RNA sequence: GGACAGAUGGCAGAGUGGUUGAAUGCACCGGUCUUGAAAACCGGCAAGGGUGCAAGCCCUUCCAGGGUUCGAAUCCCUGUCUGUCCGCCA
C-alpha cells in the first residue's frame, strides 16, 4: 500500500560539516555498523552540490540586481525592455542549475537518511545479540522447569489463540477474565510508578501517525516493511516512542524547561515481516501488544546521565514485581539504527529457561532531533542546539504478563499467584485459578 | 462529507506585484539612570547556506510543493494544518 508522503527534504540528518571535517571518524563509525566507507561518496555529492549552488547563486544575484534596476527605471517612466530581455536569457541556465541542484540534493539526503546513528565509543563491538555484554543481574532465576506461558494461560482457560486467529490470523491473542485484568493491572502499575516515583508525565497520544513523524524517529524510510499502513495517510504506531518523541518536533524549547519526561500506555503494531518462524507460539511476538513507554527529551550534556536513570526506572519495575532479570549493553551489531547506545533488560522466563528481552532503553543523542528539527535554546542566547532524545520500554506489558505467569506459577494446581504490588489493581485477588 | 476564513520572525501582529528580510508591540541582550531593583530612555536582536585568512559580500527562506512574471509574502494551481458553520457520528 502506498502512503502519502509529508516529508520535507530539508531534514538535516547527519551533520555534513562533521563529515567534511572528520571523514575517517565517520567511516569508522559506519564500519562498526557493518557498512563500507561512506564519506567519499557523500563528500563528492556535497562538493558538487556546493559547486552548482555557487554558480546558481551568482546568476541569482545578477537577476536580482537587474530586476531592481527595472523597477527603478519603470518607476521613473523609462523603457526597460532591453534589460528585461537580458534577464529572460539568464533564466534558462538558472532552470538547468536548479534542476541539477534538486537532483543531487535529494540523492544526498536520501543517502544520509538511510545511514544509522554513530554509536558511542563504549558500545562493545560484536556481530549480533550473542555478543551483548552483561551489565548486571538481579534476583534468583527459578531453575525448576515450568510450562510455557501459553500452556499456563490456555490451561487456565483465559488465553485463546485459536479464536483470535479466526478473526485476525496468526500472532494475535484473546485474553479473558483475570488475565485480561492482569494485563490492565500491569499497565496501571507501570504508569503509576513512572508518574508517581519517576517524574514522568502521563500522555495519551495518537496511535495513528503520518510518515513525517516516523521519519523523525527513524522508522522511515528504511523500515517501512515493519509497519502497518492505515488508510492512505497514516501508519499504526509500532511504539509510542514515535508520538511521544515527536511532541518536540519542529519546536524550540527553552533549555531550563528540560528535561521533558513522557510516559504512555499504548498498543503497538508491528508487521514482524522479517520474523517469519520466530517465536510463532504464544504471546512473545505479536502483531499487536501493549507497552508502557518512557521518552526523555534532554539538554545535549544530560543525555548520558538520563540514559542511566531511565534504565533504572525500567529496572525498578522488574524489581517491584520481583522478576529476576539481567541488563545487557547491546553490542554494535545489535544496537538499533537510531541509537548511540542501548541497554536491554532481559527477564527470566522459567518456562523457556532463558532470559528474554522485556525492555530496551536507548539514547539517540541528537539523531532523531535532527531529523525532526527539535531544538533548544539556552536563556539569553541566540544559537539553538538540537535536543537529545531517549526512549525506553517501562516495560513491555505483554511480555511482563508472560513473565508473571511463568515466575508466579503454582505447579500444584496450575494457578498463578498475583504479585504483591499488583494485588491492589486486581481487586485484592491473591491467585488466578482455572475457571 | 459540504461551505467559508486563515497560516508572516521566540510570541503577537501589519503588510496585496518593485531597494520589504519584512512596520509595530511583547520577550530577549547591551547601555544610561538608580544604593540595588523596577519604571523610563537609548541601542541591538530571524534562521539556514555559499564564498573569503578576515572584515565582509552573496544566496535562500513569509505553511509545503508547483506555476505566472524582468521581479512574488503579495497573483494562480495542488497539498497540509488551524478556525467557524452545516451534515454525520462514538
Amino acid at each position: 500500500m502506498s502512503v502519502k508522503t509529508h516529508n520535507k527534504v530539508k531534514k538535516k540528518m547527519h551533520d555534513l560539516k562533521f563529515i567534511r571535517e572528520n571523514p575517517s571518524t565517520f567511516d569508522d563509525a559506519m564500519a562498526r555498523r557493518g557498512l563500507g566507507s561512506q564519506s567519499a561518496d557523500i563528500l563528492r555529492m556535497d562538493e558538487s552540490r556546493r559547486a552548482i549552488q555557487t554558480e546558481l547563486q551568482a546568476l541569482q544575484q545578477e537577476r536580482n540586481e537587474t530586476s531592481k534596476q527595472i523597477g527603478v527605471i519603470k518607476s521613473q517612466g523609462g523603457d526597460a525592455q532591453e534589460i528585461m530581455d537580458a534577464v529572460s536569457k539568464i533564466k534558462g541556465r538558472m532552470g538547468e542549475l536548479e534542476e541539477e541542484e534538486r537532483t543531487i540534493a535529494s540523492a544526498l539526503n536520501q543517502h544520509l537518511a538511510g545511514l544509522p546513528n554513530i554509536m558511542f565509543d563504549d558500545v562493545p563491538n560484536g556481530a549480533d545479540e550473542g555478543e551483548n555484554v552483561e551489565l548486571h543481574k538481579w534476583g534468583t532465576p527459578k531453575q525448576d522447569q515450568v510450562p510455557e506461558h501459553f500452556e499456563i494461560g490456555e490451561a487456565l482457560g483465559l488465553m485463546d489463540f485459536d479464536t483470535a486467529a479466526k478473526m485476525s490470523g496468526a500472532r494475535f491473542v484473546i485474553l479473558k477474565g483475570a488475565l485480561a485484568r492482569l494485563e490492565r493491572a500491569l499497565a496501571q502499575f507501570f504508569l503509576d510508578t513512572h508518574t508517581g516515583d519517576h517524574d514522568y508525565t502521563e500522555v495519551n497520544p495518537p496511535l495513528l501517525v503520518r510518515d513525517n513523524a516516523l521519519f523523525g524517529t527513524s522508522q522511515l524510510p528504511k523500515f517501512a516493511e515493519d509497519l502497518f499502513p492505515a488508510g492512505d495517510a497514516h501508519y499504526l504506531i509500532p511504539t509510542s516512542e514515535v508520538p511521544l518523541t515527536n511532541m518536540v518536533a519542529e519546536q524550540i524549547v527553552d533549555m531550563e524547561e528540560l528535561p521533558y519526561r513522557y510516559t504512555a500506555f499504548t498498543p503497538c503494531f508491528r508487521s514482524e515481516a522479517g520474523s517469519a518462524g520466530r517465536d510463532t507460539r504464544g504471546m512473545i511476538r505479536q502483531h499487536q501488544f501493549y507497552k508502557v513507554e518512557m521518552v526523555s527529551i534532554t539538554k545535549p550534556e544530560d543525555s548520558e546521565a538520563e540514559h542511566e536513570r531511565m534504565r533504572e526506572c525500567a529496572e525498578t519495575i522488574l524489581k517491584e514485581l520481583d522478576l529476576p532479570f539481567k541488563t545487557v549493553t547491546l553490542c554494535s551489531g545489535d544496537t538499533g539504527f537510531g541509537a548511540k547506545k542501548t541497554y536491554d533488560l532481559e527477564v527470566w522466563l522459567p518456562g523457556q529457561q532463558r532470559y528474554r528481552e522485556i525492555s530496551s532503553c536507548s539514547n539517540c543523542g541528537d539523531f532523531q532531533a535532527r531529523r525532526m528539527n527539535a531544538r533548544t535554546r539556552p536563556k539569553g542566547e541566540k544559537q539553538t542546539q538540537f535536543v537529545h532524545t531517549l526512549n525506553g520500554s517501562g516495560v513491555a506489558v505483554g511480555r511482563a504478563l508472560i513473565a508473571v505467569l511463568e515466575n508466579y506459577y503454582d505447579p500444584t494446581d496450575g494457578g498463578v499467584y498475583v504479585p504483591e504490588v499488583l494485588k491492589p489493581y486486581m481487586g485484592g485477588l491473591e491467585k488466578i485459578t482455572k475457571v
Side-chain angles (χ1 to χ4, degrees):
Chain A
M1 183 185 288
S2 72
V3 176
K4 263 190 219 167
T5 182
H6 298 84
N7 264 334
K8 302 158 198 165
V9 196
K10 281 189 178 173
K11 306 296 181 180
K12 297 195 175 56
M13 294 159 304
H14 284 287
D15 185 357
L16 275 171
K17 202 171 281 176
F18 176 85
I19 301 175
R20 230 177 274 155
E21 286 161 10
N22 309 279
S24 60
T25 309
F26 187 76
D27 283 340
D28 292 347
M30 291 301 114
R32 297 189 72 198
R33 295 282 195 174
L35 296 167
S37 282
Q38 301 293 322
S39 66
D41 275 358
I42 292 169
L43 292 181
R44 187 175 40 72
M45 285 194 266
D46 176 47
E47 223 162 276
S48 101
R49 203 196 92 249
R50 278 149 68 205
I52 293 165
Q53 196 176 349
T54 304
E55 190 184 345
L56 178 61
Q57 289 187 357
L59 289 178
Q60 285 170 330
Q61 180 182 0
E62 193 179 340
R63 179 204 58 193
N64 291 347
E65 283 168 359
T66 314
S67 290
K68 273 182 193 170
Q69 286 177 30
I70 295 171
V72 173
I73 293 172
K74 285 203 159 183
S75 68
Q76 293 166 352
D79 176 19
Q81 192 55 46
E82 206 170 309
I83 2 185
M84 281 168 65
D85 293 342
V87 181
S88 287
K89 280 181 193 157
I90 307 178
K91 290 177 70 186
R93 178 64 182 145
M94 274 181 58
E96 285 170 31
L97 287 171
E98 276 168 14
E99 181 59 36
E100 280 176 47
E101 209 267 349
R102 233 191 316 257
T103 307
I104 193 145
S106 121
L108 178 58
N109 283 335
Q110 266 181 38
H111 188 85
L112 289 175
L115 293 179
N117 202 353
I118 298 170
M119 289 178 287
F120 283 133
D121 290 338
D122 65 351
V123 171
N125 280 316
D128 53 37
E129 59 186 23
E131 294 183 72
N132 293 341
V133 173
E134 182 178 317
L135 190 67
H136 49 235
K137 270 199 178 93
W138 186 89
T140 312
K142 270 197 202 171
Q143 296 310 313
D144 301 337
Q145 179 71 50
V146 304
E148 287 210 53
H149 70 277
F150 49 87
E151 298 171 294
I152 298 171
E154 284 177 330
L156 285 169
L158 300 175
M159 186 182 286
D160 184 349
F161 294 93
D162 296 338
T163 306
K166 278 188 206 166
M167 59 185 93
S168 303
R171 296 202 191 279
F172 290 92
V173 69
I174 290 170
L175 296 182
K176 289 187 292 192
L179 278 197
R181 183 166 189 179
L182 179 63
E183 186 161 52
R184 181 160 57 89
L186 284 163
Q188 196 112 317
F189 166 64
F190 298 169
L191 280 178
D192 286 351
T193 303
H194 295 317
T195 57
D197 302 343
H198 298 157
D199 192 36
Y200 279 86
T201 301
E202 183 170 352
V203 174
N204 202 336
L207 308 178
L208 296 172
V209 295
R210 297 202 304 208
D211 64 343
N212 57 324
L214 289 154
F215 181 90
T217 38
S218 79
Q219 279 80 17
L220 288 177
K222 222 184 161 190
F223 307 103
E225 62 169 29
D226 297 335
L227 300 166
F228 280 115
D232 60 4
H234 295 104
Y235 292 91
L236 288 160
I237 57 169
T239 158
S240 48
E241 168 200 344
V242 178
L244 293 184
T245 309
N246 272 280
M247 283 169 70
V248 292
E250 303 292 339
Q251 282 206 46
I252 301 173
V253 301
D254 290 343
M255 197 170 261
E256 59 263 42
E257 285 187 35
L258 296 175
Y260 290 157
R261 296 192 177 106
Y262 298 128
T263 184
F265 165 52
T266 69
C268 303
F269 302 91
R270 300 188 182 176
S271 78
E272 297 296 345
S275 314
R278 289 221 314 249
D279 301 310
T280 49
R281 295 206 65 186
M283 282 180 66
I284 288 269
R285 194 175 298 277
Q286 301 264 289
H287 286 310
Q288 172 192 327
F289 62 95
Y290 287 107
K291 184 154 62 77
V292 170
E293 183 77 0
M294 301 174 282
V295 162
S296 295
I297 312 293
T298 72
K299 303 180 205 175
E301 62 268 30
D302 291 347
S303 66
E304 291 188 69
E306 183 73 10
H307 192 204
E308 303 303 321
R309 183 186 188 280
M310 180 180 274
R311 171 182 53 71
E312 284 166 19
C313 291
E315 287 173 349
T316 297
I317 294 289
L318 298 182
K319 289 177 183 173
E320 293 278 316
L321 284 171
D322 200 21
L323 293 170
F325 68 92
K326 68 172 181 179
T327 302
V328 299
T329 305
L330 296 195
C331 72
S332 55
D334 204 24
T335 299
F337 185 83
K340 294 190 89 64
K341 181 178 179 178
T342 300
Y343 294 119
D344 270 10
L345 273 56
E346 299 181 348
V347 70
W348 178 253
L349 295 186
Q352 294 191 359
Q353 287 292 307
R354 58 180 285 213
Y355 288 99
R356 292 301 304 258
E357 176 188 341
I358 193 168
S359 170
S360 193
C361 299
S362 296
N363 180 1
C364 297
D366 67 1
F367 188 76
Q368 294 179 324
R370 284 179 176 279
R371 296 170 75 103
M372 62 178 71
N373 200 21
R375 294 168 293 169
T376 180
R377 176 166 22 222
K379 192 162 178 60
E381 279 184 34
K382 277 187 183 178
Q383 200 55 39
T384 58
Q385 303 168 26
F386 290 109
V387 298
H388 281 199
T389 64
L390 303 95
N391 63 80
S393 354
V395 299
V397 178
R399 290 191 180 177
L401 182 120
I402 292 172
V404 168
L405 290 184
E406 296 188 7
N407 282 281
Y408 284 82
Y409 178 71
D410 181 356
T412 62
D413 63 358
V416 174
Y417 292 103
V418 174
E420 200 57 40
V421 291
L422 296 183
K423 284 178 187 169
Y425 297 97
M426 293 293 285
L429 186 69
E430 297 278 331
K431 188 174 185 181
I432 298 169
T433 49
K434 187 168 167 53
V435 279

